Amino acid sequence: MITVDGLLFDYPTVRALHGVSFTVETETITALVGPNGAGKTTLLRCLAALETPLSGKITVDDVDVAERPRAAHRRIGFLQDFFGLYDDLSVRRCLRHHAAAHDVPRAERPQRIAITAERLGLTERLDQKTGQLSRGFRQRVAIGQAIIHGPKVLMLDEPAAGLDPEARQELSNLLLTLRAEGMTIIVSSHILVELEDYSSHMMILDRGRVKENRAIAATTIASGRRLKAVLSAPDARLGELLAATEGVSRLAIEEQMARFDFSGDAARQALLLKILIEAGLAISHFGEERQTMQDVYLERLHAE
Amino acid sequence: MNPEFQRNLMLELSIHRLIAMPVILLLVFVATGALAGEDAVTHVATGVLWLLLVLWGSRLAAETVLGEVVGRTWDAQRMSSIGPWAMSWGKLFGSTVFIWYGALWCVPGYFWSGQKSVADLAEIALLGLFTHAIALFLSLMVLRVRPGGMRFQVTLVHVLALSAALLYQAGLQQIVTLPSWAVVRWYGVAIDGAVFRLASEVIFLAWAIIGLYRLMRLELQFRPGIYTRLVFVLFVAAYAGGLPDTVHSVARWFVAFGATVLVTYVAAFVEPKGFGRLRRWGYYLKTRDLARALTTAPTWVVSGSIAVLLGVVTIALWSTMDARDAIDAAPGLSVFFDIRYPKLAPFIIAISLFLTRDIGIIYFFTLDGRAKRGHLTSLVYLGVLYILTPLILSAFNLDRLVPIAVPSPYGDPALVILPALIQAGLVALLIAWRWRRLERTGLGSVPAG
């Protein structure tokens, strides 16, 4: 859906993007993560055809963003980190303006407004001025404006900032629904725990370069299933037994706990547990330790 | 309906405003009529029209885009499907719709005493529209240059738009009210002063709107074109070149040269500058992407090139004796063409070199992206070079050295040209030094291809 090739972007005295290249597959949710100043917002603005890079090529749904920016805009919805609303207009008028501004046929507009408001929990507030809304509801209106024309690609920069836990959960559900309906989504955020709820892919950007761009599930598989065994009290035999077991690698022992990669299937995992118990070890926990997005992020970020 | 115009209608025309404006105006006119008579009603209505259309309208036009940038709604507008033309007129007429509504209520008062004609009203309306278009144009220009904070930018745009409107009106007034210009001779063709003025107003309004449309295209990420700028510079040269009341073409070419030099100075100040933009332009030149190199070339390159061409033609024509004989007919220009001071060629060369130096000075102080401070610093240094230095030289009885500081049609050609050449060269060295420093601040080299 999105292809970026050799993207180079300069601010007056700083190069923000150093030949960035990547692809984003259709109907995925990509978590764009990286430290402050990594170039995330600049990258999103280039993808949204709001900035002109020095060189490189971006295509969105086969549309060259530099050659046909307006065609690209029809395919993209973008919610920026710091957004604004027309405070003196009602929610309904804001949504109507954005529908009209994105060429949504006049006859379809009332229905689109109703559906969008329903999805975002704004139905009760359609006739309220946006200037009177709380931060959370303003965020919802802004998201509504970004999706009312049914874009194929949705890009959100820190969308959960200012939302309460319930609204965050609703945002998460909304993104999963939009993805299921065929939308490709990129979300930039610092809150990795939330991204984990709905992201299918993760892209790490650091100092203007892509360090990692892969499916999150693939990250776990590539490094093997990570298992964790915990004893009720430290026992040196735990390390010895595991080290001697076939399929165990990257073994790490911390007091009564062992972490290790295990390449065997579920049956062999059960057999391993049986061996440990029969050896007389007091196992209080034995199971898969899923590598979190934060683990992967920190690992990749500090890899070089 | 144009969504941008419709949005402005929703924001600007509340029921309260729709009722309050005519009620207040009616009360003002009734009070004026009762206290000071019918003539006073027309005077007050004229004043209110000026206040509304020129003063308030230009403020609203200056704020419309810059206000959206402050309110962080502009990027969403840029990403909409609204085209540049629809966005331009939607903002031009939408942001000022309440002003036009008020102006409409002033019309009865304006004609109350029977002193004013429809042409008079059309002139105020045209001036108002011109000011709004210039204010919107300048706000888009300022948005690209970003000289300081947003409040400063709005005020700057407002002041500049009002200045442009007043200068424009005063200039046209001057042209058609000078005794010798009661009938304007444009390229020798006699045109009634009023007709010439109206035609000029309409044409300059059209150019203001074309300029606005072009900048809106750039804001909406459309590829820039070169033809608009090229045609505008040629138009300015042609318009100005027709004004000298002379039979010989060399005066026309010289005035056209002078007009393009002025355009070049304005362009050098108001266009976005900075290291990144120049690098991008250089990158396109280096990779022989001529289409992009031409479209991203700074406007001063376009107007400056035309100025140099016009200067060369003027010098070539001046080199013929026939031209010198006939030139005195151009009032006010004879000082440059007087047969006793045949120094036109060094003068034109010096102007071109000083122009190069001055553009270099502006870029030297703005290359690092500090637009506000850079422009002000450039202005200070240009003031020192063009005003203080000649004054000091004169104070020490060194008038013959004045050509060192200002282009002069008098004096030794070597003294007119050489100092200008040396100064242009020195500024070029300074630019090269700053360029290398900026390159070392963290930017890698641009990859070829």
Side-chain angles (χ1 to χ4, degrees):
Chain A
M1 177 57 75
I2 301 172
T3 310
V4 175
D5 185 23
L7 200 63
L8 210 62
F9 188 93
D10 285 351
Y11 287 111
T13 55
V14 179
R15 174 153 293 165
L17 299 174
H18 297 257
V20 167
S21 301
F22 63 87
T23 57
V24 174
E25 292 167 26
T26 308
E27 293 179 35
T28 55
I29 300 180
T30 300
L32 177 61
V33 293
N36 289 330
K40 301 187 295 294
T41 299
T42 304
L43 176 60
L44 289 179
R45 288 180 64 81
C46 286
L47 293 178
L50 288 172
E51 302 286 353
T52 308
L54 179 62
S55 66
K57 188 175 181 179
I58 302 168
T59 56
V60 174
D61 193 27
D62 295 327
V63 171
D64 187 324
V65 167
E67 297 294 332
R68 298 169 57 209
R70 303 307 268 176
H73 289 156
R74 276 193 285 276
R75 290 159 168 81
I76 298 171
F78 182 31
L79 174 67
Q80 304 211 56
D81 187 1
F82 298 102
F83 62 88
L85 298 172
Y86 298 113
D87 290 347
D88 292 329
L89 293 184
S90 66
V91 174
R92 187 190 305 279
R93 282 184 158 181
C94 279
L95 293 176
R96 188 186 294 154
H97 169 67
H98 274 79
H102 282 95
D103 283 343
V104 173
R106 181 181 291 272
E108 287 181 26
R109 287 175 205 165
Q111 193 190 358
R112 290 273 187 106
I113 291 169
I115 292 170
T116 306
E118 177 69 32
R119 273 183 165 169
L120 293 159
L122 289 167
T123 308
E124 303 294 317
R125 297 174 191 269
L126 275 174
D127 295 312
Q128 204 169 336
K129 284 188 178 177
T130 58
Q132 298 167 345
L133 297 176
S134 66
R135 159 84 184 167
F137 277 105
R138 287 172 65 81
Q139 187 91 359
R140 295 182 195 201
V141 176
I143 294 172
Q145 289 180 165
I147 63 173
I148 195 156
H149 60 293
K152 291 187 174 178
V153 173
L154 177 63
M155 296 189 294
L156 307 164
D157 196 358
E158 298 288 351
L163 296 185
D164 58 36
E166 190 184 351
R168 289 181 182 192
Q169 185 58 49
E170 286 171 6
L171 173 68
S172 174
N173 294 339
L174 173 70
L175 295 181
L176 288 169
T177 308
L178 292 173
R179 179 195 171 190
E181 289 172 2
M183 209 176 273
T184 305
I185 301 167
I186 299 179
V187 185
S188 166
S189 177
H190 284 103
I191 309 167
L192 300 182
V193 178
E194 281 176 17
L195 289 170
E196 203 155 26
D197 288 347
Y198 48 76
S199 300
S200 61
H201 290 67
M202 178 169 69
M203 187 191 306
I204 301 174
L205 199 65
D206 184 29
R207 282 167 287 180
R209 292 180 172 86
V210 175
K211 282 201 148 184
E212 185 84 30
N213 180 26
R214 64 198 305 177
I216 288 171
T219 307
T220 309
I221 292 163
S223 59
R225 276 186 304 147
R226 190 87 175 150
L227 298 185
K228 185 165 81 173
V230 184
L231 304 180
S232 57
D235 192 325
R237 289 177 299 155
L238 176 64
E240 291 163 11
L241 279 168
L242 288 172
T245 305
E246 192 184 339
V248 169
S249 59
R250 293 179 63 217
L251 175 63
I253 304 288
E254 294 170 31
E255 296 185 349
Q256 68 261 47
M257 181 170 65
R259 287 195 173 93
F260 54 96
D261 288 354
F262 187 64
S263 60
D265 56 15
R268 291 195 57 201
Q269 184 179 327
L271 185 63
L272 175 60
L273 177 61
K274 189 180 171 192
I275 291 168
L276 294 175
I277 292 169
E278 284 176 351
L281 293 173
I283 302 281
S284 61
H285 172 85
F286 185 87
E288 192 170 330
E289 186 187 54
R290 188 176 163 81
Q291 203 173 14
T292 64
M293 186 180 277
Q294 181 141 341
D295 295 334
V296 178
Y297 170 70
L298 292 174
E299 188 180 304
R300 294 289 181 266
L301 206 61
H302 299 131
E304 292 168 20
Chain B
M1 189 190 278
N2 177 340
E4 180 53 22
F5 186 66
Q6 192 174 29
R7 185 186 68 82
N8 277 294
L9 289 185
M10 289 189 288
L11 285 170
E12 296 293 324
L13 298 182
S14 64
I15 299 291
H16 169 243
R17 289 182 126 201
L18 287 173
I19 294 169
M21 176 66 91
V23 168
I24 291 170
L25 286 175
L26 186 70
L27 290 174
V28 168
F29 295 145
V30 167
T32 308
L35 293 171
E38 286 183 353
D39 288 358
V41 173
T42 297
H43 288 315
V44 169
T46 308
V48 174
L49 273 173
W50 264 81
L51 277 175
L52 286 176
L53 289 178
V54 180
L55 206 62
W56 192 2
S58 55
R59 180 78 190 184
L60 291 176
E63 281 176 342
T64 181
V65 171
L66 295 176
E68 289 220 54
V69 174
V70 173
R72 300 187 183 276
T73 52
W74 183 231
D75 278 339
Q77 293 273 64
R78 292 174 67 206
M79 286 193 68
S80 73
S81 297
I82 303 173
W85 174 238
M87 188 67 88
S88 299
W89 82 255
K91 287 215 165 287
L92 182 61
F93 293 103
S95 65
T96 57
V97 67
F98 183 56
I99 295 307
W100 289 107
Y101 172 73
L104 206 62
W105 287 100
C106 288
V107 173
Y110 189 74
F111 289 124
W112 197 253
S113 67
Q115 293 174 340
K116 298 285 185 181
S117 66
V118 174
D120 293 330
L121 183 66
E123 197 164 299
I124 294 184
L126 272 176
L127 182 68
L129 189 53
F130 176 76
T131 321
H132 303 168
I134 286 290
L136 191 47
F137 168 81
L138 288 172
S139 71
L140 290 172
M141 191 69 92
V142 157
L143 194 59
R144 291 159 60 74
V145 180
R146 294 185 189 273
M150 201 55 72
R151 191 182 292 272
F152 170 80
Q153 290 179 16
V154 171
T155 306
L156 177 71
V157 167
H158 193 206
V159 169
L160 287 177
L162 287 175
S163 309
L166 294 176
L167 277 173
Y168 154 84
Q169 212 193 26
L172 288 176
Q173 190 73 27
Q174 185 76 6
I175 285 174
V176 296
T177 52
L178 276 174
S180 56
W181 296 78
V183 172
V184 177
R185 293 195 173 276
W186 197 65
Y187 286 103
V189 178
I191 304 172
D192 180 75
V195 172
F196 184 80
R197 179 177 175 159
L198 184 66
S200 297
E201 283 173 348
V202 171
I203 290 169
F204 279 108
L205 171 63
W207 272 115
I209 293 173
I210 290 168
L212 160 63
Y213 169 72
R214 180 179 175 274
L215 286 185
M216 194 62 85
R217 275 180 62 88
L218 296 181
E219 267 302 300
L220 302 186
Q221 293 294 95
F222 281 82
R223 279 270 175 87
I226 191 174
Y227 296 111
T228 313
R229 296 181 298 176
L230 189 64
V231 174
F232 175 71
V233 176
L234 291 175
F235 163 78
V236 170
Y239 180 87
L243 292 175
D245 191 6
T246 177
V247 292
H248 202 283
S249 60
V250 73
R252 300 195 188 289
W253 286 97
F254 180 74
V255 169
F257 164 74
T260 48
V261 166
L262 275 179
V263 171
T264 307
Y265 269 107
V266 173
F269 264 105
V270 301
E271 271 217 322
K273 288 171 278 290
F275 186 56
R277 288 182 185 275
L278 277 188
R279 274 170 63 88
R280 183 177 299 168
W281 184 45
Y283 174 63
Y284 294 143
L285 283 172
K286 192 176 168 185
T287 54
R288 297 185 181 176
D289 187 346
L290 285 182
R292 287 193 181 186
L294 281 173
T295 53
T296 53
T299 298
W300 61 262
V301 172
V302 179
S303 56
S305 306
I306 293 172
V308 168
L309 277 175
L310 292 171
V312 168
V313 173
T314 311
I315 291 170
L317 286 173
W318 179 246
S319 64
T320 66
M321 285 302 290
D322 290 349
R324 298 185 202 182
D325 291 342
I327 213 68
D328 292 340
L333 293 172
S334 56
V335 65
F336 300 129
F337 302 101
D338 195 308
I339 190 71
R340 288 169 297 172
Y341 306 105
K343 306 285 171 53
L344 190 66
F347 183 42
I348 287 175
I349 293 169
I351 289 175
S352 306
L353 288 169
F354 274 109
L355 174 66
T356 310
R357 179 203 70 177
D358 297 344
I359 292 171
I361 288 173
I362 297 166
Y363 267 82
F364 179 75
F365 289 114
T366 52
L367 259 186
D368 59 359
R370 292 178 305 168
K372 182 183 178 184
R373 188 178 293 182
H375 285 110
L376 283 176
T377 313
S378 312
L379 274 175
V380 168
Y381 276 100
L382 291 179
V384 168
L385 288 167
Y386 280 118
I387 300 169
L388 274 186
T389 313
L391 282 176
I392 290 167
L393 288 172
S394 294
F396 287 97
N397 292 321
L398 295 168
D399 292 276
R400 68 185 189 84
L401 293 179
V402 166
I404 291 174
V406 218
S408 170
Y410 310 111
D412 183 356
L415 196 63
V416 170
I417 295 175
L418 268 179
L421 185 64
I422 291 168
Q423 290 175 62
L426 282 174
V427 172
L429 287 174
L430 283 172
I431 294 259
W433 171 74
R434 174 149 284 192
W435 185 276
R436 279 196 297 275
R437 273 193 65 185
L438 286 169
E439 272 194 326
R440 284 199 296 267
T441 56
L443 297 177
S445 59
V446 179

